Amino acid sequence: MLSDRKEKYEKEKKNRRGSENINEGKAEEHMDVRVKHCLAYVLHTSGTTGIPKIVRVPHACIVPNIQHFQVLFDVTQEDVLFLASPLTFDPSVVEMFVALSSGASLLIVPTSVKVLSSKLAVVLFSHHRVTVLQATPTLLRRFGSQLIKSTILSVSTSLRVLVLGGEAFPPLTVLKSWREEGNKTQIFNIYGITEVSSWATFYRIPEKLLNCTLKCDLPVQLGCPLLGTVVEVRDTDGLTVQEGSGQVFIGGRNRVCFLDDEVTVPLGTMRATGDFVTVKDGEIFFLGRKDSQIKRHGKRLNIELVQQVAEELHQVESCAVTWYNQEKLILFIVSKDDSVKGDILKELQKQLSSHAIPDELVLIAALPFTSHGKIDVSALNKMYLNYINLKSENKLNGKEELWEKLQYLWKSTLSLSEDLLKVPDDSLFLNSGGDSLKAIRLLSEIEKLVGTSIPGLLEIVLSSSILEIYNHICQRVFSDEDLTFRKSYAIKRKLSDMNQEESNGKSLHQQSDMTLNCNDEMNAFVALSRGSQILSLNTARFLTGLGHCSSDLISQSNIEHLKNLNPPACIGKSKDSSCVAEVSEEGKSVMAAEKMELHVRWKSDTCKCVDASPLVVIPASDKSSLSPTVYVGSHSHRMKAIDLYSGKVKWEQTLGDRIESSACVSKCGNFIVVGCYNGIVYVLKSNSGENYWMFATEDAVKSSPTMDPTTGLLYIGSHDQHAYAFDIYEKKCVWKLKCGGAVFSSPCLNMTPHHLYFSTLGGLLLAVNPATGNRIWKHSCGKPLFSSPRCCLEYICIGCVDGNLLCFTHMGEQVWQFSASGPIFSSPCVSASEQEVFFGSHDCCIYCCNMKGHLQWKFETTSRVFATPFAFRNPSGSNEMLLAVASIDGKLWILESQSGRLQSVFELPGEVFSSPVVWESMLIIGCRNDYVYCLDLLSGNKK
């Protein structure tokens, strides 16, 4: 009879979902718990995968499991089965009765032996020669990979059948590493839930797959339903899924149990499992439990995937992942050797997406497990709590130790070489390979180190140097001590009593060929800044034919009409060799066969990195003999005015600290306004660099100012979490607004409706009345906003570090969002037609979307893109629109704006965080090799 049944079941198990017809034999429509001899046993679920329940199991439900396993594993009286499960765990029923009904031996060992894995291995496989083992993967892992390979899955092992269930099946790579070459043990993956006691599906791992030397990334399938079982996959609407993802439902005509207070249950009831799977080509693959699916950093994550990837690392013996307090992803690791956490973290960063990297790695001696052989999540959480408390007890001995440990955390978080003895004081987190997710991990480590939370630290980490981060921590942790590293902001406190000569720094070139007219005469000019922002002021007599008024923001498409106001482009080097450095081999065109070529026209040394973007001001008066001027600042504290055509330095002014803010021109054209790291907004005379006025905020100013052409007011944000409006002619602050987060980006002014937009590192986008500073509306994006908002007639767009480009109406309603594959620090650039928006991402790509949020094209560069693109018309005279954008590795990319097709690429000899500005056939940009560059854009036939 045994052989007859075996043959029958072998035929039935292929490619079927259910092995019986539910409509057959409908003698009873319900199963009733009150029927005599209905129940076989009663137990509680453990609650490890949901809410604990009382489950009353009928004979009719569990017997099919026993019958099928007896045949499937070919159990005879010669076999020895190990009772691995406690009596409170329903697989124990299957283990006992498969053995007893087959005349096999059932091995029961004391708990004292079970907990000692090495001793247990000897008892099972040397003394009693166990042939069939049903266990959870966690229980098997406790033996350790070496013992598994040398004893349990060795060539000479007594184990004929290994059945793993109750948890996610181990990755095939790990399973194969456990087997000694030549091992013949049959290995099964079984799946089920206690609510339909006990097992529902089985799958035997093919010998061919186990012996394959190629890496297999596919998970192990759940396989076929067991006798009497029906398995369905349903979507969120309850519809059966034939291909795709959904939740598993289990049942069968007689495969029903009574849960909690249930007295009757309809025959064929299907129970939801809470397990999600994907169906592919008729096969079912486990994805994870519902409670293993979390949302982290704005993206869905299956934490079991993190565990699988970690477990495949050669340094990892076993591991477990928890979502601690639903806010921190913790990876617990039992290491094979003396591997340090930093090495394991580096490996994880290579294989996991940034949103899947654990917040913390905790090395432990062994994984805790429940009496049912599953990972004890509660015990892991207690271990982590003890770990935190232990770390917080290790008090810092002073500022010097803080500085040392901060440098260590910096290097380990960014995976920097240990050979780097000291992190330079001016190192910036984002420029050193960091991103917002790594910043959160660094923040967590710092707060654990100092034993307290530090308000505002995340914004400081994302935007400041390591020295400034250190100072910020010191101010809160060692507030009662003198801070030897602390930057002084005394200039702010003394500003009102200070002579301007004292506060101003050194002015190198005070002479000028232009006389200053404070506001009695308005100069006509056009100003260009990053993102194709073009401002035309006081140019009515030149633009009347175009229908522009005297104070107008004009589009790039009309720029060619202004070219006749400028002297012809001067091709070649400046005659003044003292002002322009000779260009030799550095800076090279890396693609020779492109449609356009870039050649260095001039470069100007600023003595330190140039992260600020240039401002180009073109005089538009027919009486003016002045040439266009480039205004740009640098980390050297220097603000420079450079002749656009020749590269000659017109003037140079040294301010109080580093300059990353891009400059803005006043309404009259007589002043240049720029923010500084010392918290001061400087108003300089545009013709000489002489200081006209200064205003002190309470923290660093990295935001670039914006000017309202209708009123002349200037707007700027500060890291003191305020936005400011200035009247520079009256030398006063008109209003000040608390923004709810540091303002790193630049404000954006829209004329109709007359709104001013600010974004913060706290994730807020604010619409403000430019005249009064009253808030009109706000939107919380949830993540820091480094990108500056950009307006067009109908919409406002902004990028977020969660990788989304967001689009809003001017009334604050979100219209759409587009997701890139990495954080967005680049500010959007809107095309002249206002039909496209361009931006870069840390995923190394440049994107073009239409105003419905649909991707038009994507171009992959060779590095992250921090800079803002600049759209301009091809200087060769055609109507073709081009796009200039820089990647951090120093490459300048010229693309066709309609197609994203590459026109040319040019490599600068340093990293680039500055954004390009194009005028006529010249591109101006700053570089981290300390120079400002002007490049000629030449068509292929003009060399």
Side-chain angles (χ1 to χ4, degrees), residues 758-769:
F758 287 92
S759 59
T760 77
L761 297 186
L764 292 178
L765 176 63
L766 305 170
V768 177
N769 184 319

Side-chain angles (χ1 to χ4, degrees), residues 306-360:
V306 179
Q307 179 173 327
Q308 289 175 15
V309 171
E311 193 173 37
E312 292 185 30
L313 300 180
H314 66 87
Q315 306 100 321
V316 176
E317 180 70 58
S318 57
C319 63
V321 179
T322 65
W323 182 229
Y324 184 76
N325 286 346
Q326 295 189 325
E327 60 181 22
K328 296 180 77 174
L329 193 65
I330 312 300
L331 174 61
F332 296 86
I333 290 175
V334 179
S335 178
K336 284 183 181 177
D337 45 39
D338 296 327
S339 299
V340 295
K341 290 194 288 186
D343 296 335
I344 297 173
L345 183 61
K346 286 179 184 177
E347 290 297 319
L348 290 174
Q349 288 171 339
K350 293 177 184 176
Q351 300 188 40
L352 291 171
S353 302
S354 56
H355 73 282
I357 301 295
D359 294 298
E360 183 106 42

Side-chain angles (χ1 to χ4, degrees), residues 496-513:
S496 58
D497 303 322
M498 188 184 296
N499 182 291
Q500 285 188 1
E501 290 288 327
E502 295 172 342
S503 66
N504 203 21
K506 185 180 178 184
S507 181
L508 300 182
H509 299 279
Q510 298 293 345
Q511 73 277 10
S512 173
D513 52 359

Side-chain angles (χ1 to χ4, degrees), residues 249-379:
F249 284 74
I250 297 173
R253 177 173 175 79
N254 292 312
R255 297 229 52 214
V256 291
C257 298
F258 302 94
L259 306 185
D260 293 329
D261 298 327
E262 290 178 346
V263 177
T264 60
V265 178
L267 297 178
T269 294
M270 302 294 288
R271 301 286 190 184
T273 63
D275 293 321
F276 284 85
V277 298
T278 185
V279 182
K280 186 176 181 181
D281 298 329
E283 307 293 355
I284 304 175
F285 297 91
F286 184 74
L287 295 177
R289 284 204 52 77
K290 183 178 181 179
D291 44 19
S292 295
Q293 311 291 316
I294 64 172
K295 192 168 185 180
R296 186 166 183 253
H297 304 311
K299 297 184 179 180
R300 286 282 171 192
L301 173 66
N302 178 6
I303 64 174
E304 291 177 359
L305 170 67
V306 179
Q307 179 173 327
Q308 289 175 15
V309 171
E311 193 173 37
E312 292 185 30
L313 300 180
H314 66 87
Q315 306 100 321
V316 176
E317 180 70 58
S318 57
C319 63
V321 179
T322 65
W323 182 229
Y324 184 76
N325 286 346
Q326 295 189 325
E327 60 181 22
K328 296 180 77 174
L329 193 65
I330 312 300
L331 174 61
F332 296 86
I333 290 175
V334 179
S335 178
K336 284 183 181 177
D337 45 39
D338 296 327
S339 299
V340 295
K341 290 194 288 186
D343 296 335
I344 297 173
L345 183 61
K346 286 179 184 177
E347 290 297 319
L348 290 174
Q349 288 171 339
K350 293 177 184 176
Q351 300 188 40
L352 291 171
S353 302
S354 56
H355 73 282
I357 301 295
D359 294 298
E360 183 106 42
L361 271 64
V362 181
L363 296 178
I364 56 178
L367 288 173
F369 64 102
T370 66
S371 60
H372 293 177
K374 297 183 180 182
I375 291 174
D376 192 335
V377 176
S378 177

Side-chain angles (χ1 to χ4, degrees), residues 119 122 164 193 204 212 238 280 315 337 389 397 523 569 673 689 760 813 839 852 938:
K119 189 174 181 179
V122 172
L164 297 177
I193 57 172
R204 179 180 172 183
C212 179
K280 186 176 181 181
Q315 306 100 321
D337 45 39
N389 293 336
N397 294 324
N523 296 309
V673 185
T760 77
E813 297 175 3
F839 64 96
K852 293 182 179 179
L938 304 176

Side-chain angles (χ1 to χ4, degrees), residues 565-804:
L565 307 179
N566 300 282
C570 176
I571 306 298
K573 297 177 183 175
S574 166
K575 294 179 181 179
D576 189 346
S577 59
S578 64
C579 298
V580 182
E582 291 292 322
V583 178
S584 55
E585 295 179 357
E586 57 178 322
K588 54 186 181 295
S589 184
V590 296
M591 292 188 71
E594 298 297 339
K595 299 178 182 178
M596 178 176 287
E597 292 188 6
L598 284 75
H599 295 281
V600 176
R601 183 188 187 89
W602 54 258
K603 66 175 185 175
S604 184
D605 189 3
T606 69
C607 299
K608 271 200 174 180
C609 300
V610 184
D611 284 347
S613 301
L615 167 71
V616 179
V617 178
I618 302 101
S621 170
D622 52 2
K623 297 178 181 179
S624 174
S625 60
L626 299 176
S627 60
T629 304
V630 177
Y631 297 95
V632 69
S634 124
H635 287 203
S636 66
H637 307 187
R638 301 180 186 187
M639 188 72 196
K640 299 184 78 168
I642 308 168
D643 185 281
L644 173 61
Y645 292 129
S646 69
K648 179 179 179 180
V649 177
K650 295 185 176 183
W651 55 258
E652 182 178 295
Q653 177 70 280
T654 303
L655 305 183
D657 207 331
R658 182 194 307 181
I659 305 165
E660 287 189 8
S661 167
S662 301
C664 172
V665 65
S666 66
K667 181 178 180 179
C668 64
N670 294 323
F671 303 106
I672 297 298
V673 185
V674 68
C676 186
Y677 255 62
N678 63 357
I680 295 177
V681 180
Y682 289 87
V683 181
L684 308 175
K685 295 179 181 178
S686 59
N687 67 336
S688 66
E690 180 184 345
N691 189 22
Y692 174 72
W693 183 54
M694 291 183 293
F695 179 87
T697 71
E698 297 301 318
D699 208 337
V701 179
K702 304 178 188 180
S703 171
S704 302
T706 294
M707 189 267 293
D708 187 338
T710 61
T711 63
L713 292 181
L714 283 118
Y715 311 100
I716 200 166
S718 168
H719 267 59
D720 67 6
Q721 303 194 18
H722 288 89
Y724 295 86
F726 304 121
D727 184 333
I728 62 171
Y729 304 113
E730 296 291 330
K731 296 185 178 181
K732 68 178 183 180
C733 177
V734 177
W735 54 256
K736 174 182 177 181
L737 174 68
K738 180 77 171 179
C739 292
V743 182
F744 173 90
S745 57
S746 304
C748 177
L749 182 72
N750 190 68
M751 303 308 292
T752 306
H754 200 203
H755 286 179
L756 182 66
Y757 297 100
F758 287 92
S759 59
T760 77
L761 297 186
L764 292 178
L765 176 63
L766 305 170
V768 177
N769 184 319
T772 64
N774 294 330
R775 191 171 65 201
I776 300 170
W777 56 262
K778 72 173 181 178
H779 177 88
S780 176
C781 300
K783 297 293 179 182
L785 297 172
F786 282 84
S787 170
S788 298
R790 284 291 178 266
C791 298
C792 61
L793 186 63
E794 295 185 60
Y795 304 119
I796 177 167
C797 297
I798 190 167
C800 183
V801 297
D802 64 4
N804 287 317

Side-chain angles (χ1 to χ4, degrees), residues 798-823:
I798 190 167
C800 183
V801 297
D802 64 4
N804 287 317
L805 182 76
L806 307 170
C807 178
F808 301 87
T809 68
H810 290 292
M811 294 301 105
E813 297 175 3
Q814 185 172 332
V815 183
W816 52 261
Q817 74 176 36
F818 174 85
S819 295
S821 300

Side-chain angles (χ1 to χ4, degrees), residues 445-504:
E445 291 290 345
I446 291 172
E447 292 187 339
K448 278 186 286 188
L449 174 65
V450 301
T452 183
S453 62
I454 302 175
L457 182 57
L458 178 60
E459 296 171 3
I460 298 295
V461 167
L462 285 167
S463 59
S464 305
S465 68
I466 187 172
L467 181 56
E468 291 165 323
I469 296 169
Y470 169 83
N471 290 333
H472 184 81
I473 299 168
C474 282
Q475 289 175 29
R476 284 147 182 83
V477 178
F478 305 109
S479 56
D480 55 337
E481 302 179 31
D482 293 330
L483 303 179
T484 55
F485 285 83
R486 183 178 176 184
K487 186 198 298 184
S488 172
Y489 284 97
I491 187 168
K492 301 178 191 173
R493 298 190 297 271
K494 298 179 181 178
L495 191 59
S496 58
D497 303 322
M498 188 184 296
N499 182 291
Q500 285 188 1
E501 290 288 327
E502 295 172 342
S503 66
N504 203 21

